[in-house]
Amino acid sequence: MGEDTDTRKINHSFLRDHSYVTEADIISTVEFNHTGELLATGDKGGRVVIFQREPEMRKLRGVTQLVNSRPGMEARLPDTRTASKNAPHSQGEYDVYSTFQSHEPEFDYLKSLEIEEKINKIKWLPQQNAAHSLLSTNDKTIKLWKITERDKRPEGYNLKDEEGKLKDLSTVTSLQVPVLKPMDLMVEVSPRRIFANGHTYHINSISVNSDCETYMSADDLRINLWHLAITDRSFNIVDIKPANMEDLTEVITASEFHPHHCNLFVYSSSKGSLRLCDMRAAALCDKHSKLFEEPEDPSNRSFFSEIISSVSDVKFSHSGRYMLTRDYLTVKVWDLNMEARPIETYQVHDYLRSKLCSLYENDCIFDKFECAWNGSDSVIMTGAYNNFFRMFDRNTKRDVTLEASRESSKPRAVLKPRRVCVGGKRRRDDISVDSLDFTKKILHTAWHPAENIIAIAATNNLYIFQDKVNSEMH
């Protein structure tokens, strides 16, 4: 993790045409599936792009992609590869597997409110069969998508011709047995369920339960529990809306189910607190089981204290013992057995503390950064400005700042640690805090569930990095 031992190399980068970047191209969420073989991204244009990890040895043939998310949507040809069932899964790159339009812009005529198509979150469901399933949501509507492959087609119908039209029965003089014949691999994406009208306010997070049957969705004031097979109703499990909205003091910012106990979930608030709830205690979990809150240091109190203490993301560790939270300046690790204070606090960009006034004026202080655990819960990662992202080793207490940029996007290029200089002596490669680009921000990151592979969303570019040398370390 240190400057002398950093071996993280770029594995692949999905770089769109940067000469013309529209708002719709900006990536708004990144998520690996449970095996790490698939990686999904959502953008502000309502599109979902799925990448599949490629084994190094492949037999090549044409691949046709069929997307039936909406009528009249044309087939695309993203690449020319297909799966060889006997090929070993070695260190492969991620290539485009499927692209589809998940959400369209809508308009609420009752409230005269435009509903953006931007994908707020994507969550993969555990794989039950050959097909893959994921949930995607914008501000109001959650959709369940099914992704399937087809490499055989039936031929030899008795009552239909090659174009699928019914034959004249008088011309059918003999019967034949239909057969399945090989065809170019076709990826089909179809909507299975649409969960609508469950939220008055904007959905900020969704989380699939470990029972694989239910999931929850959270907006600013309420959390709903859904069954994956039922679309017309949900159960409200948290409601913090006051009788008089003038009494509102905080909002829900993120929520997540415990990875192993289907009755436990946590949600964070704009006041910096975490509430662990047990659904066995009551149908409405307004009374939390545990409250995790760090007392504020009076010496650090300022006008911006409440804003920068707002938790923008919360993630359970893979073991289920710890929680990782991100606020504006820090990431914190909490032990589920200790509510009083976090057991670890890491400064992400403390050099911005003196610039909070200008960050407030340009609205950057309201940016919502995400955080991620590695597979063994020993390293944590989160984003920063200037296309920097930070990694913290919990065992050695070492940290490193790396940059996701086009200059370092050549395959197998070594990423050099970066350093931000506040004042005083400056090394040759140091970057002054005054020259940081606040328009380049890494809000969304994801870590492969088992390997040292990370996905970084930098505006409209997706970078995938892999530690080639220390791949046995998670």
Side-chain angles (χ1 to χ4, degrees), residues 389-452:
F389 59 98
R390 303 269 282 142
M391 303 178 102
F392 304 91
D393 191 314
R394 298 180 59 212
N395 298 324
T396 63
K397 303 303 178 186
R398 300 176 77 175
D399 63 87
V400 66
T401 301
L402 300 170
E403 182 181 7
S405 67
R406 287 180 172 274
E407 288 70 28
S408 62
S409 64
K410 296 176 182 177
R412 285 164 290 281
V414 178
L415 286 183
K416 294 180 181 179
R418 307 304 302 267
R419 185 170 173 266
V420 177
C421 175
V422 179
K425 289 185 179 180
R426 217 175 128 188
R427 284 188 254 173
R428 191 174 56 136
D429 293 331
D430 285 358
I431 296 175
S432 168
V433 66
D434 295 318
S435 62
L436 292 175
D437 189 345
F438 292 104
T439 63
K440 295 180 179 178
K441 56 191 82 171
I442 292 178
L443 304 177
H444 313 289
T445 60
W447 204 309
H448 190 288
E451 299 180 38
N452 246 357

Side-chain angles (χ1 to χ4, degrees), residues 32-38 123-127 133 208 448-450:
F32 280 101
N33 75 337
H34 293 76
T35 64
E37 292 303 306
L38 296 176
K123 290 294 178 185
W124 290 90
L125 272 61
Q127 192 173 2
S133 299
V208 180
H448 190 288

Side-chain angles (χ1 to χ4, degrees), residues 8 32-38 53 91 94 318 372-379 446-455 465-467 470-474:
R8 190 161 301 279
F32 280 101
N33 75 337
H34 293 76
T35 64
E37 292 303 306
L38 296 176
R53 195 177 185 191
Q91 305 288 347
Y94 284 82
H318 294 82
W373 296 91
N374 72 335
S376 61
D377 302 332
S378 60
V379 182
W447 204 309
H448 190 288
E451 299 180 38
N452 246 357
I453 300 173
I454 57 174
F465 300 103
Q466 178 173 5
D467 189 338
N470 297 333
S471 57
E472 74 278 358
M473 294 177 60
H474 301 307

Side-chain angles (χ1 to χ4, degrees), residues 322 331-334 341-346 380 394 397:
Y322 305 102
V331 282
K332 298 174 182 177
V333 178
W334 299 79
R341 63 184 61 86
I343 58 172
E344 299 162 27
T345 300
Y346 302 96
I380 55 182
R394 298 180 59 212
K397 303 303 178 186

Side-chain angles (χ1 to χ4, degrees), residues 178-189:
V179 294
L180 290 174
K181 290 192 175 181
M183 60 176 281
D184 289 344
L185 182 66
M186 183 177 288
V187 180
E188 297 181 325
V189 181

Side-chain angles (χ1 to χ4, degrees), residues 316-333:
F316 277 106
S317 62
H318 294 82
S319 66
R321 171 72 185 271
Y322 305 102
M323 293 183 297
L324 177 65
T325 63
R326 171 70 203 262
D327 56 43
Y328 190 68
L329 295 178
T330 66
V331 282
K332 298 174 182 177
V333 178

Side-chain angles (χ1 to χ4, degrees), residues 356-400:
L356 293 178
C357 187
S358 59
L359 290 167
Y360 177 80
E361 290 173 354
N362 63 17
D363 283 345
C364 283
I365 201 169
F366 301 107
D367 287 334
K368 293 176 169 42
F369 293 93
E370 295 176 6
C371 51
W373 296 91
N374 72 335
S376 61
D377 302 332
S378 60
V379 182
I380 55 182
M381 171 177 63
T382 191
Y385 293 106
N386 210 69
N387 277 358
F388 289 166
F389 59 98
R390 303 269 282 142
M391 303 178 102
F392 304 91
D393 191 314
R394 298 180 59 212
N395 298 324
T396 63
K397 303 303 178 186
R398 300 176 77 175
D399 63 87
V400 66

Side-chain angles (χ1 to χ4, degrees), residues 105-120:
E106 300 174 47
F107 192 81
D108 188 333
Y109 292 97
L110 292 176
K111 298 180 180 177
S112 296
L113 188 68
E114 189 175 346
I115 302 170
E116 290 184 336
E117 66 272 35
K118 171 192 168 189
I119 308 296
N120 291 343

